[in-house]
Each structure stands twice: as structure tokens, then as C-alpha cells.
Amino acid sequence: MTAKIIDGKAFAENLRGRIAGHVARLKSEHGITPGLAVVIVGHDPASQVYVSSKAKQTVEVGMASFKYELPEDVTEAELLALIERLNADKQVHGILVQMPVPKQIDPNKVIEAIDPAKDVDSFTPANVGKVQIGLPGPVSCTPLGCLMLLRDQLGSLEGKNAVIIGRSNLVGKPMMQLLLRDNCTVTVAHSRTRNLAEVVRQADIVVAAVGRPEMIKGDWIKPGAVVIDVGINRVPAPEKGEGKTKLVGDVEFSSAIETAGAITPVPGGVGPMTIACLLANTVTTASLIHGLVPPSDLTA
Ligand code: GUN
């Protein structure tokens, strides 16, 4: 069997179209223009690329985009003061501080300074708790994107065996909460899990988020399983020429495609969904800030 390749780019494009429709309604019916502020510290090239494409897509769906570039040596106090200003700014409905931040800054202090009502990453303890108990609010962008792709593939997830590989606060843990809410039986595996191949073989749904290039092999995958590969790893690609590199996921795509029922590619799978879900979260927070019910098709 050859797996269906899940086109995250096309799904994200469709999602952005729906977001643009909700933004247009917020403007015309309520006079609200959702605004997203993105803060980047330093000059990490990969972060610069992410932040630029976030700003571009924010504007494309009709929202206001505010970008703050701070120098690498900015103090923690200066960054916290900017967050305070953005918390108070009525034009700003979402605040994202691009991680990682330089070492003089404590990322936990940054996260706790963000008003949970504007926390479009869903990093604050208040929003982590809301996701856990199923209250409305922003949901971590990458897990939300994975959930949307899974529901699109499978319809109901009820009763499915889901194995998540990776227990990070960013992906593994919120993914666990979302899959539990959709009535999956969830296993969270990680670097200390024994017999990982055997654990993965039980899964109808595999979410790979370990950050190790091509670690999960095709013969670990149950025939017909849906495989969501969150990994984005840059590795040498000598076949493309000396010094060249390529992006690969946490799953060995060439072998997994032989056993899986459906699989996300890297790039072009989960990646495009993350930014689209950030925009979706900004519509959610803008709606909630103004006492409106957020659109149900943009959240978990
Ligand atoms: N750095 C890499 N991914 C993310 C993300 O989703 N949010 C933030 N704030 N920083 C990141």
C-alpha cells in the first residue's frame, strides 16, 4: 500500500480563506480589526524567516500586523516593558514572542508577562489549563494544526489509539490534551520509552514530535495508520551537492509511505498549518476580548 500524502499547504490555504471571511465579518459587523503583534529578539536567520512569513500572512487575511525587532542584547526588563505596552494596546489582540530568546532573558518570565487573553501561542499557564478542561481560548498552534488535519482525514477520532512521540510543552503535552478531548486512547512516548517500535505499532494515529531526523521507521507503523510528522530537521544532503542540506521529518518518509494509510510530508505538511493556526487563534482572542463567541471552525 502507498499512503495518501496529506497536503498541509492546501489545507492551510483553505483555512486562511475561512479566517479571512471571519476577519471581514468582525470588521463589517462589529468594527473590530484583529491585530497580531510579533516580537523577535536578535537576528537568528530561521526566526527571521518565520516572523516575516507570519507578518505577510497576517496582512493577507485582513488583520493588522505589528512587528517589533529588538536587539540581541536587549535586557529582560526592556522586553517585559514592551509586553506590558502590548497588553494595554487596544489594537493588539494577539502577542507572540518568537522563541528561543537570548540567554539573558528568562523565557518563563516572558510567557507569564503576556496577558492570557492575548496569548495566541497558548503558552501561559492560564491557557494551558483552559485547554485541559475544555474552556474556549487559544490552543497551541502546532497541535491545533495537527488536530485539524487528523479530523479531516478520519472524521471522528473516537476510540482511536493515538501515540505521540515527544512530551514537550510546545507540542507533545497539548497534543495529548486535544486527542483526549476527541476521545482517543492516548499514549505519550518519549526518549526513555522502552520498546518504542512496539508502542508505535499499536497506533492508529502517530504524532511524531521528537526532533530526531527520520527516527521512526516504516516497519514501526501499523498498516493504514495516519502519521503526522511534526519534525523539521535540517540534515546534510550530499546527493544535492557538496555542503547542501535538506529538511526531513522525525519519520522516515520513504519507508513509512509503504505502510501508513496517510502521512504528512516535510516540508509541506504540519509546517504551513502552524502559522495558519496562529492567525486562527488571533481571531479567537479578538472575538473573546470583545465578548463574542469565537468561530467554532477555527478552534479545537
Ligand atoms: N519558535 C518556534 N516555534 C514557535 C512558536 O510556535 N511560537 C513561538 N512563540 N516561538 C516559536
Side-chain angles (χ1 to χ4, degrees):
M1 187 164 73
T2 300
K4 175 185 170 190
I5 296 174
I6 300 171
D7 188 346
K9 198 160 167 251
F11 193 100
E13 203 172 300
N14 180 283
L15 176 58
R16 287 198 301 274
R18 282 185 281 133
I19 292 168
H22 289 297
V23 171
R25 270 190 295 282
L26 279 173
K27 282 187 192 172
S28 65
E29 293 173 17
H30 302 282
I32 301 163
T33 300
L36 173 63
V38 175
V39 181
I40 177 168
V41 183
H43 298 287
D44 175 54
S47 292
Q48 294 276 355
V49 171
Y50 283 131
V51 166
S52 298
S53 77
K54 281 169 187 166
K56 181 166 166 276
Q57 295 185 24
T58 304
V59 172
E60 278 169 5
V61 297
M63 306 201 290
S65 169
F66 308 96
K67 188 173 161 191
Y68 296 85
E69 295 183 84
L70 303 180
E72 183 77 30
D73 62 353
V74 71
T75 65
E76 187 177 87
E78 285 169 316
L79 176 56
L80 295 179
L82 171 61
I83 293 170
E84 277 311 306
R85 286 211 305 282
L86 296 173
N87 283 342
D89 188 335
K90 295 266 185 284
Q91 286 180 289
V92 173
H93 303 92
I95 302 170
L96 178 143
V97 180
Q98 184 70 24
M99 299 290 173
V101 286
K103 55 187 178 311
Q104 75 274 18
I105 296 169
D106 177 351
N108 288 322
K109 278 198 192 159
V110 172
I111 290 166
E112 295 216 43
I114 296 171
D115 180 350
K118 299 187 177 186
D119 166 30
V120 280
D121 271 319
S122 191
F123 284 173
T124 59
N127 286 325
V128 171
K130 282 186 176 178
V131 169
Q132 181 164 343
I133 61 179
L135 292 176
V139 174
S140 302
C141 303
T142 299
L144 178 58
C146 295
L147 183 74
M148 287 181 180
L149 294 178
L150 284 167
R151 285 176 173 169
D152 185 57
Q153 287 305 310
L154 293 167
S156 168
L157 308 187
E158 183 161 325
K160 302 280 187 200
N161 276 336
V163 173
I164 301 163
I165 308 139
R167 55 178 156 179
S168 68
N169 292 334
L170 206 73
V171 181
K173 285 180 199 159
M175 193 75 244
M176 168 186 79
Q177 299 295 354
L178 294 179
L179 291 172
L180 271 179
R181 276 169 56 176
D182 268 34
N183 299 314
C184 290
T185 302
V186 185
T187 302
V188 183
H190 47 77
S191 56
R192 309 286 170 84
T193 296
R194 295 193 187 144
N195 302 323
L196 182 58
E198 273 313 305
V199 174
V200 173
R201 268 186 207 113
Q202 309 303 314
D204 306 305
I205 293 169
V206 178
V207 179
V210 261
R212 296 211 194 161
E214 301 182 314
M215 187 181 101
I216 295 140
K217 308 298 180 193
D219 65 355
W220 300 14
I221 308 287
K222 177 175 166 178
V226 179
V227 178
I228 304 290
D229 192 349
V230 178
I232 302 178
N233 309 289
R234 192 165 281 287
V235 296
E239 71 276 13
K240 288 167 66 179
E242 203 189 309
K244 298 282 185 196
T245 61
K246 63 178 177 185
L247 293 178
V248 298
D250 292 347
V251 179
E252 189 181 72
F253 189 81
S254 59
S255 58
I257 198 168
E258 299 299 332
T259 43
I263 184 168
T264 58
V266 177
V270 173
M273 291 298 293
T274 298
I275 299 184
C277 287
L278 172 70
L279 306 178
N281 277 338
T282 308
V283 172
T284 296
T285 54
S287 304
L288 288 169
I289 285 169
H290 288 277
L292 302 168
V293 177
S296 61
D297 64 326
L298 299 189
T299 188

